[in-house]
Amino acid sequence: MLKAQIKVLLKQSVLDPQGQAVEKALGALGYNNVEKVRVGKYLEVTLAENDLDAANKQVQEMCERLLTNSVIEDYTFTLVEV
Amino acid sequence: MKFGVVVFPGSNCDLDAYHFVKDVLAQPVDYIWHQEESVAGYECIILPGGSSYGDYLRSGAIASFSPVMKAVKDFALRGGLVIGIGNGFQILVEAGLLPGALYRNTALQFRCQFTYLKVENYFTPFTKAIERGRLLKIPIAHGEGNYYVDKDTLHRLEVKGQIIFRYATEQAEVTAAANPNGSVFNIAGVCNENKNVLGMMPHPERAGEAILGSEDGKMIFDSILKHWEGSRL
């Protein structure tokens, strides 16, 4: 089996209100060297699939169809054996 | 004119929309369960507000793949009138029936308040009965109504007259202070290129009776009725 570890972040061009709020909170806790925070999502999708190329293609398709919204988000993923 | 109100698991303005059509507009209306595969027999489809599928993953994302949405897409492509309100707007953008995306309000708050809407295009089925220059007082209630499009798309929407409503002050000024959620260009509602699909975050069905503080929402539906009557002549 293969597990896709998918990271989703808002595009750099899209304002991230959550990230800004966390950034301010860290500042309030005294972490004055925090330059920037972006908040995203992490998804794990386990596939009954051993072929890396096939899994790669399928995960990309799933990201584009449902898991992410290409208008506001970017994603990256890695496949690991489980 | 026969209306259908789609009900997804987690919809919560379906009753408001049904009541509004039945009791305020005095038009026939049915609920349509999201598992239905047809919307035949309806002249206008309403996608109501709420939190379909708990807003999991992204608001509207999972609902946009429900069986009824395939039928709604076909209906829209054939020119059928579709209005998505709040979560219904989020479902329409996720389904690709409208451009852009809706995400978290910049103020990080759920905003539940009256807004004033400036009408940007009167030549649509949803705005043709609205008096020129008249501001619409209609409430919002959402945490993820921040409308985003990139600059090129915004320009295209402007050129094609797809921007329908913008948040304004009570004096009709479109300012940052009047923007409740951070939406690009103060956008509160947009249409598709053919102008038969409208998505808006404010809730016109909650502004149809004086006891609710405003009757301005009715003007949008009066437009729909006027358009439909005109199309039957």
Side-chain angles (χ1 to χ4, degrees):
Chain A
M1 288 204 297
L2 287 167
K3 186 165 74 180
Q5 302 173 319
I6 307 165
K7 290 180 195 165
V8 186
L9 263 186
L10 285 172
K11 287 184 174 173
Q12 287 302 325
S13 55
V14 176
L15 188 77
D16 177 5
Q18 270 194 102
Q20 286 183 343
V22 174
E23 192 180 302
K24 270 188 203 156
L26 288 172
L29 287 174
Y31 299 104
N32 299 319
N33 58 350
V34 173
E35 293 260 329
K36 191 170 187 185
V37 178
R38 307 277 291 172
V39 175
K41 280 179 219 167
Y42 172 72
L43 298 96
E44 285 187 344
V45 180
T46 307
L47 299 174
E49 174 67 69
N50 294 315
D51 185 290
L52 262 178
D53 285 344
N56 212 39
K57 205 175 150 210
Q58 188 185 332
V59 171
Q60 198 174 329
E61 189 183 301
M62 292 190 299
C63 283
E64 275 155 30
R65 288 187 68 193
L66 175 66
L67 302 179
T68 73
N69 181 336
S70 63
V71 177
I72 47 173
E73 293 169 332
D74 285 329
Y75 68 92
T76 54
F77 68 88
T78 49
L79 287 164
V80 294
E81 281 185 33
V82 285
Chain B
M1 182 174 191
K2 197 166 180 193
F3 288 78
V5 176
V6 178
V7 182
F8 299 96
S11 292
N12 62 21
C13 299
D14 42 346
L15 275 80
D16 307 47
Y18 185 93
H19 158 73
F20 177 80
V21 175
K22 181 170 169 279
D23 301 322
V24 180
L25 295 182
Q27 298 294 320
V29 56
D30 290 329
Y31 289 117
I32 304 173
W33 185 236
H34 69 114
Q35 292 294 341
E36 292 290 331
E37 290 175 3
S38 166
V39 293
Y42 296 99
E43 275 108 21
C44 180
I45 298 296
I46 302 175
L47 302 184
S51 296
S52 57
Y53 293 90
D55 287 335
Y56 293 167
L57 193 62
R58 294 178 308 279
S59 301
I62 298 176
S64 71
F65 288 99
S66 58
V68 76
M69 283 310 294
K70 231 178 225 170
V72 170
K73 271 187 198 175
D74 291 343
F75 178 77
L77 290 174
R78 290 196 311 272
L81 295 179
V82 179
I83 174 167
I85 301 162
N87 188 226
F89 185 12
Q90 294 162 339
I91 294 168
L92 287 172
V93 294
E94 284 286 346
L97 283 169
L98 291 175
L102 290 149
Y103 76 115
R104 210 165 286 241
N105 296 349
T106 45
L108 296 166
Q109 293 164 324
F110 186 96
R111 285 288 171 94
C112 184
Q113 65 190 62
F114 270 110
T115 58
Y116 293 90
L117 305 179
K118 193 163 174 260
V119 181
E120 294 289 323
N121 183 349
Y122 291 98
F123 301 97
T124 79
F126 307 97
T127 52
K128 58 170 58 172
I130 301 171
E131 193 188 318
R132 300 295 186 269
R134 170 74 190 256
L135 273 188
L136 304 187
K137 182 186 173 190
I138 298 181
I140 55 166
H142 62 246
E144 302 204 341
N146 183 356
Y147 185 74
Y148 176 82
V149 277
D150 61 34
K151 275 191 181 130
D152 292 345
T153 312
L154 177 65
H155 180 69
R156 207 171 66 234
L157 294 183
E158 270 193 281
V159 169
K160 297 198 168 166
Q162 288 175 249
I163 299 166
I164 310 302
F165 301 117
R166 291 173 76 199
Y167 299 108
T169 63
E170 211 173 335
Q171 289 74 38
E173 286 157 348
V174 178
T175 63
N179 189 339
N181 52 29
S183 291
V184 163
F185 206 54
N186 280 41
I187 289 175
V190 292
C191 263
N192 62 340
E193 211 178 318
N194 284 334
K195 316 290 189 306
N196 63 308
V197 178
L198 170 72
M200 61 189 295
M201 288 313 295
H203 287 265
E205 84 285 10
R206 291 186 183 177
E209 293 146 284
I211 196 171
L212 298 179
S214 171
E215 297 180 273
D216 293 355
K218 202 166 167 282
M219 290 185 220
I220 294 168
F221 285 86
D222 286 342
S223 300
I224 293 173
L225 292 174
K226 185 178 171 184
H227 176 79
W228 181 70
E229 278 155 18
S231 71
R232 292 169 77 211
L233 294 176

